[in-house]
Amino acid sequence: MVTSANSSPPGNCKFAVPKKGRLFEKVTDLLKGSGIDYQRAPRLDVALCKDLPITLVFLPASDIAKYVGEGNVDIGITGYDVVRESNVEVEKVMDLGFGACKLCVQAPVADQITDVSTLAGGRIVTSFPHLTEEFFRPFDEKKGVKTKIIEVSGSVEAACGLGLADAVVDLVETGTTMRAAGLDVVADVLETESMLISNPNTAHADVVKMLTRRIEGYMVAKKYVMISYNIHNDLLQGALKITPGKKSPNITNLAETDFKAVTCLVLKKEMNAKMDQLHDIGATDILTFALSNTRM
């Protein structure tokens, strides 16, 4: 029985998702596309899913790996950078294909720093103290110095301009914010993207498997479209070279025995080029269909 509006019913699988930030919209679309329906009341960080024994818990993305690793929630979506920074044991279920960026050492353009080792022993401002210390440790040991790592939350780009740091370690997606602050990348610390993680000892392995299937199905649906066309028997092999399908095409006979109907998956980004190629070799009735979800 639910004891309060901001709690989870006993026996539900608790699923942590970002409450805001750069991953929020993508995760919201992912949940919707995977058939995970819920209603979130204003100002509440917990929402019950319809027809599924799942409670969504909305947390800062930077806290999710810790909650999953400590068993406070069963599964979660966050970035690889957060998992590494949190330094907890979690099980990677799958990469999600969005939120890709790099964690980088950035220094003022005016300083013209090209060798990151010259920053060892200096002042580094970051929201990623564990990863930053790990990155600079070999340089510190080699030079016999200790880099001063200053942890801040939120934006760190202004630190160099204010004289608080010699460099910063922060995420770079497009580089627009970095360049506006007069910074440039000196070195990459790691590449990151969003991922689905679970607690190694979760009691809801069946729910994790179900969610994985749904999310994989949605990701395939976002990446592919179904194409259908009719082709003369003499031209079939040429058409199949253009559209080999994800696994193999489905070929059926038509009432007009000289023709076949072909359906298969093609990459969405290649859809128009494939249609043009099929038209050029003589295919007819070429249609494409959007997918909402799949099970492969």
Side-chain angles (χ1 to χ4, degrees), residues 7 17 31 41-42 53 60 69 94 106 113 117 120 144 156 164 171 210 217 219 227-228 245 247 269 274:
S7 62
V17 295
L31 296 175
M94 62 187 299
Q106 305 163 41
I113 296 173
S117 68
V156 302
L164 302 175
L171 294 173
M210 180 270 291
M219 291 171 64
I227 193 167
S228 170
K247 291 183 179 177
K269 64 183 180 181
K274 297 287 187 183

Side-chain angles (χ1 to χ4, degrees), residues 107-153:
V109 174
D111 291 350
Q112 298 184 331
I113 296 173
T114 57
D115 181 359
V116 71
S117 68
T118 63
L119 291 167
R123 301 164 301 158
I124 310 295
V125 166
T126 185
S127 300
F128 299 87
H130 173 71
L131 286 171
T132 302
E133 182 181 2
E134 187 178 81
F135 178 80
F136 276 98
R137 187 180 299 127
F139 300 116
D140 286 357
E141 291 174 352
K142 186 174 181 179
K143 297 177 69 174
V145 297
K146 179 64 175 175
T147 300
K148 183 179 181 181
I149 297 167
I150 305 164
E151 181 180 3
V152 300
S153 59

